[in-house]
Amino acid sequence: MSVETAAPRGEQVARRRRFFTRQDKITLGFFIGIPTFLHVALVWFPAIATIGLSFTYWTGIKIEDITWAGLANYENIFFNTPIFWDAVRNNTIWILWFFFIATPLGVLLAYQIDREIRGHKLYQSAYFLPVVLSLAVTGIIWNFLLRPDGFVNGLLGLPISEAISFFGDERYNIWVIMIMASWRHIGYIMLLYLAGLKAVDGALREAATIDGATEWQTFRKVVFPAMKPVNIIVIVITIIESLRAFDMVYIIYGSSGGLPILGVLVFNNIAGEGASMKGAAYAVILFLLSIVPIITYLQQQFKDDVR
Amino acid sequence: MLNKISGHEVDRRLLLKGAAAGGLGIAGATMLAGCASDSGPVTFGVRTVDESPMAQAQAIVDAYTAKTGIEVTANFTESNAFQNNLSQYLQGTPDDAFQWMAGYRMQFFADQGLLVDISDVWDEIGDQFSDSYKIASTGSDGNQYFLPQSWYPWGLHFRKSMMAEIGLNPEDIYNWDDMMAALEELKGQGLIGLASADKGGWEAMGTFDILNARINGYQFHVDLLAGREKWTDDKVKEVFRHWEMLLPYMNTNVLDLEWDGAMQLLLQRQAGLFMNGSWFGANFLEQSQEDYDDLWIVPFPEINPDHGRDTIDAPLDGIAVAANGSNDAGAKEFVKFAASIEGVEAQLSTGIPLTSANNLQDTSAYDPFQKQQLAVMGEAKYITQFLDRDTRPDFAGPVVGPSFQEWFRDPSSVDSILESMQSQWDALPPL
């Protein structure tokens, strides 16, 4: 950068600054200051405090009881706690299922609806409906259906003792949960993707058709690349949704080890009477697991953009 | 019933409602405390949303208000939610008085300075309770922080009419062989021998407690829970060996049922025996008087003749005063009333059966089922509270619960489960 250009640019900035009156500054100060303060106080402070506390022993009651534990909580989790690995396994299944089954299904549905197949309005509402419900409500609904004394077992005429153990049998309970979670996730992805598809310029598709591309080729080579920003969001959301899973499992299993997942382990160890900072360590592990792949992925994407 | 359909939704909603009401109550209390003396309104945290115990708590509140003119607001919260939030609740703006449990669970919070010393209340009405109850109400500093209200025994429950039809007399189930023979008979009839649940992670602890106490004795059980004995001990493996012998007679969906699901098995005559605390008698009574009259309890059978049937889980429920409440003096007066014979009489006026912890309650007025509970209790020399009330909370909930569930999934992995439990105990922070 040369010296000549630096001077006028400085002037420009100074001139631009003069546009702010005192009142503007105060207003801006409020608009930026208050959210920043709240963000730091309510998000960053607790997050950093949690990281700090994960290296301590504490029952969560009296501040003076905090004692340094070093890596003990982490060692305990990694080498002493088999349920942690069960949870990692379940969360991995969750993420793979979402990635390879639920999310592609959502994309497929969005594409079909965007092509305005017959009855697409009906499909759209039907698939979108579950998205309006929180995961907790989803859990309540499915629990009502699949409990031993629930609707499905009732319909099959099975007494409690012979009821199909949808939530209790470890051979298939994770898949039951996956279907429940997908019920909502598919609609969510469909909605996001549909919004993206609507924004794709129709001329692109036309051009592809004129060039003699098949439907699949059009999607693969033209629409999909044009949807890059939405694709990034969908991937990030898929990762986040699978790792932060908590509400639905908590509704069905409570805080016990019925179906261990990381979110429930955090809760089980940090809330309640048995509060210990092992829970904080779980939270940090979960935080790292969610943030590292996302940051890596986003960095990769932005690097491509810069290039 | 709503609670059974959608448990946690109700929890959360009631919790919020309770929190809001509690907040309002406290705000009101502080405002009034300015002009009135310390006999201002009192808030009372009740850890149930079940019909019968709610009615009993409300009866105490109404009787107290009628007697003293002091307004008491009862805030009801579902018990699991109440438990999970207790530590936050007690550090925030809790109700002045709240329902809780005796033993280690109370001591832990007393040690943290979250409960009010109510030794002076014990000085006034302590003669209404037995000495063992006073011990269970005493914190590690020797002061009392708790007043017992009611108790219930854990034992084998069954329906008299079912047993009569089959021709079994459960009163004759004295030892392990009798029990196995009875279970075999029930299975032969196409019934579930022993209704079991462990979805909540705590239900099966009662079965572990009694097996351990029967096989290894009271002292070993207490020492194990206090960390003085090891989970990897062969004695503990022996407990699981016996437990495994019961598995073929249990319903197969143990991990899909909570305690009330297993209770339904007994209520609907699908199961012969049900190992549980007698509190569910109230649920039978809600169903019908006939169902309640049909219910009976016997002690868990003897396994090791050295120990006979000398131990029983008989948890004490009661009431305590929160240190962060806004009206300690008023709360002390209220808990004194609630635990005293006056409070007992108020609860009895609802017509719901109550085995109170109060010596002055006329046990001759007990119904036959209650008298049988008393007899079962009377046979025992040692009383334990319950596994999750007798050991560290950061062990019972996060470690023991999931470990027992894991054992139900794969009973053959008992050795590695016990090893893991021991190493998790060893990794607990010093208290």
Side-chain angles (χ1 to χ4, degrees), chain A residues 35-83:
Chain A
T36 310
F37 171 77
L38 287 177
H39 186 73
V40 169
L42 299 178
V43 177
W44 284 102
F45 173 71
I48 291 167
T50 305
I51 296 174
L53 285 171
S54 70
F55 298 101
T56 64
Y57 292 130
W58 190 35
T59 52
I61 297 176
K62 280 190 283 185
I63 298 279
E64 61 266 30
D65 284 350
I66 302 178
T67 51
W68 183 251
L71 289 171
N73 287 326
Y74 291 96
E75 268 172 47
N76 191 2
I77 289 171
F78 286 121
F79 302 113
N80 255 333
T81 315
I83 198 172

Side-chain angles (χ1 to χ4, degrees), chain B residues 223-415:
Chain B
D223 288 345
L224 178 69
L225 296 187
R228 291 186 294 267
E229 295 283 355
K230 299 249 178 266
W231 286 87
T232 44
D233 198 310
D234 282 341
K235 288 178 162 181
V236 181
K237 286 179 186 154
E238 195 58 22
V239 171
F240 280 89
R241 205 178 62 77
H242 279 81
W243 206 351
E244 200 175 338
M245 289 156 73
L246 297 176
L247 286 180
Y249 304 103
M250 292 180 184
N251 40 305
T252 51
N253 51 357
V254 173
L255 291 175
D256 215 5
L257 294 184
E258 293 179 54
W259 72 268
D260 52 350
M263 177 195 76
Q264 288 292 334
L265 291 177
L266 184 65
L267 189 64
Q268 299 173 5
R269 299 169 183 270
Q270 298 174 35
L273 298 167
F274 178 35
M275 177 71 197
N276 205 69
S278 291
W279 80 77
F280 74 89
N283 298 61
F284 267 53
L285 189 58
E286 282 167 21
Q287 201 67 30
S288 78
Q289 185 68 42
E290 290 77 58
D291 285 313
Y292 181 73
D293 291 342
D294 202 22
L295 187 59
W296 206 246
I297 176 176
V298 291
F300 197 86
E302 168 192 295
I303 299 175
N304 180 345
D306 291 349
H307 302 298
R309 304 202 290 193
D310 64 0
T311 309
I312 191 166
D313 262 340
L316 263 185
D317 288 344
I319 188 167
V321 178
N324 289 344
S326 55
N327 186 357
D328 288 0
K332 276 189 185 181
E333 283 302 312
F334 175 69
V335 298
K336 186 170 90 186
F337 175 86
S340 73
I341 187 66
E342 290 175 282
V344 171
E345 277 159 3
Q347 293 183 69
L348 289 173
S349 70
T350 59
I352 298 162
L354 171 75
T355 47
S356 86
N358 195 303
N359 281 338
L360 301 182
Q361 185 186 4
D362 179 14
T363 53
S364 67
Y366 273 6
D367 61 48
F369 180 54
Q370 286 179 303
K371 283 188 176 146
Q372 177 66 4
Q373 291 176 45
L374 208 57
V376 168
M377 181 85 160
E379 195 182 324
K381 208 159 66 177
Y382 305 106
I383 296 165
T384 47
Q385 291 291 320
F386 192 71
L387 194 147
D388 64 6
R389 305 187 188 200
D390 286 333
T391 191
R392 297 180 56 156
D394 51 359
F395 185 64
V399 180
V400 180
S403 298
F404 285 0
Q405 289 176 325
E406 189 58 37
W407 178 77
F408 275 107
R409 281 183 208 120
D410 180 14
S412 65
S413 62
V414 59
D415 289 356

Side-chain angles (χ1 to χ4, degrees), chain A residues 57 59-62 65 76 80-83 86 136 140 143-144 146-148 159-168 170 246-247 250-260 267-276 278, chain B residues 4-6 8-9 12 83-88 91 100 105 108-109 111-114 192 199-201 251-253 255-258 261 264-265 268 270 393-394 397-399 402 405-406 409 420 423-424 427-431:
Chain A
Y57 292 130
T59 52
I61 297 176
K62 280 190 283 185
D65 284 350
N76 191 2
N80 255 333
T81 315
I83 198 172
D86 293 342
I140 290 167
N143 196 21
F144 177 75
L146 301 181
R147 284 179 319 168
I160 297 173
S161 54
E162 291 161 28
I164 302 172
S165 196
F166 288 108
F167 299 130
E170 81 278 10
F246 169 78
D247 354 22
Y250 180 74
I251 289 291
I252 289 166
Y253 293 97
S255 63
S256 69
L259 185 86
F267 180 83
N268 192 10
N269 282 275
I270 212 161
E273 298 170 78
S276 76
K278 201 176 166 185
Chain B
K4 277 164 212 155
I5 294 168
S6 55
H8 297 274
E9 179 200 31
R12 212 172 273 182
Q83 238 161 280
N84 281 335
N85 272 295
L86 189 73
S87 142
Q88 285 83 349
Q91 291 174 78
W100 194 231
R105 276 192 153 154
F108 176 79
F109 291 103
D111 287 346
Q112 309 288 336
L114 294 171
I192 290 161
K199 191 179 180 193
N251 40 305
T252 51
N253 51 357
L255 291 175
D256 215 5
L257 294 184
E258 293 179 54
Q264 288 292 334
L265 291 177
Q268 299 173 5
Q270 298 174 35
D394 51 359
V399 180
Q405 289 176 325
E406 189 58 37
R409 281 183 208 120
S420 156
S423 69
Q424 289 187 76
L428 289 175
L431 272 180

Side-chain angles (χ1 to χ4, degrees), chain A residues 82-95 135 173-174 177-178 181 241-251 253-269 282 286 289, chain B residues 409:
Chain A
I83 198 172
F84 167 70
W85 296 106
D86 293 342
V88 169
R89 199 200 63 209
N90 287 335
N91 275 101
T92 311
I93 292 177
W94 199 304
I95 210 166
L135 273 174
N173 60 2
I174 177 79
I177 296 290
M178 284 302 88
E241 288 277 314
S242 359
L243 285 171
R244 68 158 201 173
F246 169 78
D247 354 22
M248 208 176 65
V249 172
Y250 180 74
I251 289 291
Y253 293 97
S255 63
S256 69
L259 185 86
I261 56 166
L262 291 169
V264 172
L265 285 184
V266 174
F267 180 83
N268 192 10
N269 282 275
Y282 276 123
L286 183 54
L289 281 178
Chain B
R409 281 183 208 120

